[in-house]
Amino acid sequence: MNNLKKLLLPFVVVYVVSMILNLLIHGVILGSTYESPELSDMMRPAEESKMWIHFIVGIIFSFFFVLIFSKGYENRGIMQGVRYGLYVGLMVATPMAYSSYAAYQIPYSLALQWFIYGLVYYIILGVIAGLLYKPKLAAAPAAS
């Protein structure tokens, strides 16, 4: 139970930052791309939006992102977070970007941007986990 308390701050911060990064990436950076004539038909009309699902998925993802980080915790700070974020990014962003490219009629440039922004996104979240997750470390055994 004590470890769950240690997960709370990184979980909340990872969630908030992930929502901000998603808005920045998909709303600001790629927003005009999604509104282009070749892609606008792929998106739901505003009145059919299911945006609430993103918030629920974000909560679930953020919790497990931090939980899995905690299970492999090595007390290596920011570099452990970078490595973890890179691994998760490669595991998640690669199939998301390139399977989408294979299945949907999207330009390759969009798939590449999803991949690159995905890697950056997960690395940033990994850095946050590396900086904020601080479990109580076991005391070193006394020397005889």
mmCIF file with all atom_site columns, all heavy atoms in Angstrom, residues 93-104:
data_model
loop_
_atom_site.group_PDB
_atom_site.id
_atom_site.type_symbol
_atom_site.label_atom_id
_atom_site.label_alt_id
_atom_site.label_comp_id
_atom_site.label_asym_id
_atom_site.label_entity_id
_atom_site.label_seq_id
_atom_site.pdbx_PDB_ins_code
_atom_site.Cartn_x
_atom_site.Cartn_y
_atom_site.Cartn_z
_atom_site.occupancy
_atom_site.B_iso_or_equiv
_atom_site.pdbx_formal_charge
_atom_site.auth_seq_id
_atom_site.auth_comp_id
_atom_site.auth_asym_id
_atom_site.auth_atom_id
_atom_site.pdbx_PDB_model_num
ATOM 1  N N   . ALA A 1 93  ? 4.662  3.422  -30.297 1.00 0.00 ? 93  ALA A N   1
ATOM 2  C CA  . ALA A 1 93  ? 4.576  4.358  -31.421 1.00 0.00 ? 93  ALA A CA  1
ATOM 3  C C   . ALA A 1 93  ? 4.835  3.679  -32.766 1.00 0.00 ? 93  ALA A C   1
ATOM 4  O O   . ALA A 1 93  ? 4.217  4.057  -33.774 1.00 0.00 ? 93  ALA A O   1
ATOM 5  C CB  . ALA A 1 93  ? 5.554  5.521  -31.225 1.00 0.00 ? 93  ALA A CB  1
ATOM 6  N N   . THR A 1 94  ? 5.701  2.704  -32.798 1.00 0.00 ? 94  THR A N   1
ATOM 7  C CA  . THR A 1 94  ? 6.001  2.032  -34.063 1.00 0.00 ? 94  THR A CA  1
ATOM 8  C C   . THR A 1 94  ? 4.772  1.343  -34.644 1.00 0.00 ? 94  THR A C   1
ATOM 9  O O   . THR A 1 94  ? 4.378  1.636  -35.775 1.00 0.00 ? 94  THR A O   1
ATOM 10 C CB  . THR A 1 94  ? 7.174  1.044  -33.902 1.00 0.00 ? 94  THR A CB  1
ATOM 11 O OG1 . THR A 1 94  ? 8.304  1.737  -33.379 1.00 0.00 ? 94  THR A OG1 1
ATOM 12 C CG2 . THR A 1 94  ? 7.526  0.379  -35.217 1.00 0.00 ? 94  THR A CG2 1
ATOM 13 N N   . PRO A 1 95  ? 4.137  0.431  -33.890 1.00 0.00 ? 95  PRO A N   1
ATOM 14 C CA  . PRO A 1 95  ? 2.959  -0.218 -34.494 1.00 0.00 ? 95  PRO A CA  1
ATOM 15 C C   . PRO A 1 95  ? 1.785  0.741  -34.701 1.00 0.00 ? 95  PRO A C   1
ATOM 16 O O   . PRO A 1 95  ? 1.047  0.608  -35.677 1.00 0.00 ? 95  PRO A O   1
ATOM 17 C CB  . PRO A 1 95  ? 2.592  -1.328 -33.505 1.00 0.00 ? 95  PRO A CB  1
ATOM 18 C CG  . PRO A 1 95  ? 3.272  -0.994 -32.244 1.00 0.00 ? 95  PRO A CG  1
ATOM 19 C CD  . PRO A 1 95  ? 4.477  -0.169 -32.598 1.00 0.00 ? 95  PRO A CD  1
ATOM 20 N N   . MET A 1 96  ? 1.621  1.730  -33.806 1.00 0.00 ? 96  MET A N   1
ATOM 21 C CA  . MET A 1 96  ? 0.515  2.679  -33.985 1.00 0.00 ? 96  MET A CA  1
ATOM 22 C C   . MET A 1 96  ? 0.691  3.452  -35.286 1.00 0.00 ? 96  MET A C   1
ATOM 23 O O   . MET A 1 96  ? -0.227 3.539  -36.105 1.00 0.00 ? 96  MET A O   1
ATOM 24 C CB  . MET A 1 96  ? 0.439  3.646  -32.801 1.00 0.00 ? 96  MET A CB  1
ATOM 25 C CG  . MET A 1 96  ? -0.833 4.497  -32.760 1.00 0.00 ? 96  MET A CG  1
ATOM 26 S SD  . MET A 1 96  ? -1.049 5.788  -34.007 1.00 0.00 ? 96  MET A SD  1
ATOM 27 C CE  . MET A 1 96  ? 0.250  6.910  -33.600 1.00 0.00 ? 96  MET A CE  1
ATOM 28 N N   . ALA A 1 97  ? 1.871  3.989  -35.507 1.00 0.00 ? 97  ALA A N   1
ATOM 29 C CA  . ALA A 1 97  ? 2.111  4.810  -36.694 1.00 0.00 ? 97  ALA A CA  1
ATOM 30 C C   . ALA A 1 97  ? 2.099  3.975  -37.971 1.00 0.00 ? 97  ALA A C   1
ATOM 31 O O   . ALA A 1 97  ? 1.415  4.316  -38.945 1.00 0.00 ? 97  ALA A O   1
ATOM 32 C CB  . ALA A 1 97  ? 3.444  5.546  -36.558 1.00 0.00 ? 97  ALA A CB  1
ATOM 33 N N   . TYR A 1 98  ? 2.840  2.892  -37.968 1.00 0.00 ? 98  TYR A N   1
ATOM 34 C CA  . TYR A 1 98  ? 3.024  2.158  -39.219 1.00 0.00 ? 98  TYR A CA  1
ATOM 35 C C   . TYR A 1 98  ? 1.903  1.172  -39.513 1.00 0.00 ? 98  TYR A C   1
ATOM 36 O O   . TYR A 1 98  ? 1.607  0.907  -40.684 1.00 0.00 ? 98  TYR A O   1
ATOM 37 C CB  . TYR A 1 98  ? 4.416  1.534  -39.263 1.00 0.00 ? 98  TYR A CB  1
ATOM 38 C CG  . TYR A 1 98  ? 5.436  2.630  -39.418 1.00 0.00 ? 98  TYR A CG  1
ATOM 39 C CD1 . TYR A 1 98  ? 6.190  3.085  -38.335 1.00 0.00 ? 98  TYR A CD1 1
ATOM 40 C CD2 . TYR A 1 98  ? 5.587  3.280  -40.639 1.00 0.00 ? 98  TYR A CD2 1
ATOM 41 C CE1 . TYR A 1 98  ? 7.083  4.143  -38.484 1.00 0.00 ? 98  TYR A CE1 1
ATOM 42 C CE2 . TYR A 1 98  ? 6.473  4.335  -40.792 1.00 0.00 ? 98  TYR A CE2 1
ATOM 43 C CZ  . TYR A 1 98  ? 7.213  4.755  -39.708 1.00 0.00 ? 98  TYR A CZ  1
ATOM 44 O OH  . TYR A 1 98  ? 8.089  5.807  -39.860 1.00 0.00 ? 98  TYR A OH  1
ATOM 45 N N   . SER A 1 99  ? 1.245  0.638  -38.516 1.00 0.00 ? 99  SER A N   1
ATOM 46 C CA  . SER A 1 99  ? 0.050  -0.174 -38.785 1.00 0.00 ? 99  SER A CA  1
ATOM 47 C C   . SER A 1 99  ? -1.072 0.712  -39.295 1.00 0.00 ? 99  SER A C   1
ATOM 48 O O   . SER A 1 99  ? -1.851 0.300  -40.161 1.00 0.00 ? 99  SER A O   1
ATOM 49 C CB  . SER A 1 99  ? -0.396 -0.919 -37.529 1.00 0.00 ? 99  SER A CB  1
ATOM 50 O OG  . SER A 1 99  ? 0.555  -1.906 -37.191 1.00 0.00 ? 99  SER A OG  1
ATOM 51 N N   . SER A 1 100 ? -1.166 1.928  -38.755 1.00 0.00 ? 100 SER A N   1
ATOM 52 C CA  . SER A 1 100 ? -2.161 2.879  -39.259 1.00 0.00 ? 100 SER A CA  1
ATOM 53 C C   . SER A 1 100 ? -1.868 3.230  -40.716 1.00 0.00 ? 100 SER A C   1
ATOM 54 O O   . SER A 1 100 ? -2.779 3.315  -41.548 1.00 0.00 ? 100 SER A O   1
ATOM 55 C CB  . SER A 1 100 ? -2.179 4.149  -38.405 1.00 0.00 ? 100 SER A CB  1
ATOM 56 O OG  . SER A 1 100 ? -2.612 3.848  -37.096 1.00 0.00 ? 100 SER A OG  1
ATOM 57 N N   . TYR A 1 101 ? -0.591 3.431  -41.014 1.00 0.00 ? 101 TYR A N   1
ATOM 58 C CA  . TYR A 1 101 ? -0.196 3.743  -42.395 1.00 0.00 ? 101 TYR A CA  1
ATOM 59 C C   . TYR A 1 101 ? -0.561 2.592  -43.324 1.00 0.00 ? 101 TYR A C   1
ATOM 60 O O   . TYR A 1 101 ? -1.033 2.808  -44.447 1.00 0.00 ? 101 TYR A O   1
ATOM 61 C CB  . TYR A 1 101 ? 1.302  4.035  -42.456 1.00 0.00 ? 101 TYR A CB  1
ATOM 62 C CG  . TYR A 1 101 ? 1.805  4.305  -43.854 1.00 0.00 ? 101 TYR A CG  1
ATOM 63 C CD1 . TYR A 1 101 ? 1.406  5.431  -44.554 1.00 0.00 ? 101 TYR A CD1 1
ATOM 64 C CD2 . TYR A 1 101 ? 2.673  3.412  -44.482 1.00 0.00 ? 101 TYR A CD2 1
ATOM 65 C CE1 . TYR A 1 101 ? 1.858  5.685  -45.847 1.00 0.00 ? 101 TYR A CE1 1
ATOM 66 C CE2 . TYR A 1 101 ? 3.136  3.651  -45.763 1.00 0.00 ? 101 TYR A CE2 1
ATOM 67 C CZ  . TYR A 1 101 ? 2.725  4.784  -46.441 1.00 0.00 ? 101 TYR A CZ  1
ATOM 68 O OH  . TYR A 1 101 ? 3.171  5.027  -47.712 1.00 0.00 ? 101 TYR A OH  1
ATOM 69 N N   . ALA A 1 102 ? -0.368 1.356  -42.849 1.00 0.00 ? 102 ALA A N   1
ATOM 70 C CA  . ALA A 1 102 ? -0.687 0.193  -43.677 1.00 0.00 ? 102 ALA A CA  1
ATOM 71 C C   . ALA A 1 102 ? -2.192 0.028  -43.874 1.00 0.00 ? 102 ALA A C   1
ATOM 72 O O   . ALA A 1 102 ? -2.632 -0.394 -44.939 1.00 0.00 ? 102 ALA A O   1
ATOM 73 C CB  . ALA A 1 102 ? -0.110 -1.068 -43.040 1.00 0.00 ? 102 ALA A CB  1
ATOM 74 N N   . ALA A 1 103 ? -2.990 0.402  -42.867 1.00 0.00 ? 103 ALA A N   1
ATOM 75 C CA  . ALA A 1 103 ? -4.426 0.144  -42.912 1.00 0.00 ? 103 ALA A CA  1
ATOM 76 C C   . ALA A 1 103 ? -5.248 1.294  -43.501 1.00 0.00 ? 103 ALA A C   1
ATOM 77 O O   . ALA A 1 103 ? -6.290 1.056  -44.106 1.00 0.00 ? 103 ALA A O   1
ATOM 78 C CB  . ALA A 1 103 ? -4.939 -0.160 -41.504 1.00 0.00 ? 103 ALA A CB  1
ATOM 79 N N   . TYR A 1 104 ? -4.815 2.524  -43.298 1.00 0.00 ? 104 TYR A N   1
ATOM 80 C CA  . TYR A 1 104 ? -5.608 3.688  -43.700 1.00 0.00 ? 104 TYR A CA  1
ATOM 81 C C   . TYR A 1 104 ? -4.896 4.467  -44.798 1.00 0.00 ? 104 TYR A C   1
ATOM 82 O O   . TYR A 1 104 ? -3.678 4.435  -44.902 1.00 0.00 ? 104 TYR A O   1
ATOM 83 C CB  . TYR A 1 104 ? -5.867 4.611  -42.504 1.00 0.00 ? 104 TYR A CB  1
ATOM 84 C CG  . TYR A 1 104 ? -6.514 3.890  -41.353 1.00 0.00 ? 104 TYR A CG  1
ATOM 85 C CD1 . TYR A 1 104 ? -5.801 3.658  -40.178 1.00 0.00 ? 104 TYR A CD1 1
ATOM 86 C CD2 . TYR A 1 104 ? -7.820 3.407  -41.444 1.00 0.00 ? 104 TYR A CD2 1
ATOM 87 C CE1 . TYR A 1 104 ? -6.380 2.979  -39.116 1.00 0.00 ? 104 TYR A CE1 1
ATOM 88 C CE2 . TYR A 1 104 ? -8.404 2.738  -40.396 1.00 0.00 ? 104 TYR A CE2 1
ATOM 89 C CZ  . TYR A 1 104 ? -7.682 2.518  -39.229 1.00 0.00 ? 104 TYR A CZ  1
ATOM 90 O OH  . TYR A 1 104 ? -8.259 1.839  -38.193 1.00 0.00 ? 104 TYR A OH  1
#
